[in-house]
Amino acid sequence: MTITIYHNPACGTSRNTLAMIRQSGEEPVVIEYLKNPPTRERLVELIAAMGIPRVHCCARRARLTRSLDLAIRSGRTIS
């Protein structure tokens, strides 16, 4: 299994998560999403694959979330 992390080096939570993955002995594929943002379609795919509401994975005030129109709207899932 390949582990991929969409990473923001300026975010403490992201840095801690990356460190935990590496401490487990895995070397993940690291995508710095601010430098290489995923398309809206890719985000929709990722969220659907996780099977969770987008409220659990997208920061409401994040610039990327707003720019891709993924803001939380009454907890609906992305379609």
Side-chain angles (χ1 to χ4, degrees):
M1 173 177 76
T2 302
I3 298 172
T4 301
I5 181 170
Y6 286 81
H7 180 56
N8 177 359
C11 173
T13 301
S14 188
R15 289 191 309 270
N16 289 337
T17 301
L18 180 56
M20 287 189 294
I21 293 168
R22 287 180 169 155
Q23 287 173 358
S24 77
E26 298 291 330
E27 185 53 41
V29 173
V30 179
I31 299 171
E32 290 191 28
Y33 66 86
L34 295 177
K35 291 180 181 177
N36 301 297
T39 64
R40 184 183 197 286
E41 291 75 23
R42 181 65 180 143
L43 286 175
V44 169
E45 290 171 4
L46 291 168
I47 293 167
M50 288 186 283
I52 61 174
R54 66 180 176 223
V55 68
H56 297 296
C57 60
C58 296
R60 283 182 275 171
R61 288 184 258 165
R63 179 179 54 194
L64 181 61
T65 302
R66 289 192 314 270
S67 71
L68 295 174
D69 191 29
L70 295 172
I72 308 310
R73 293 191 187 115
S74 303
R76 294 189 323 238
T77 58
I78 294 176
S79 57

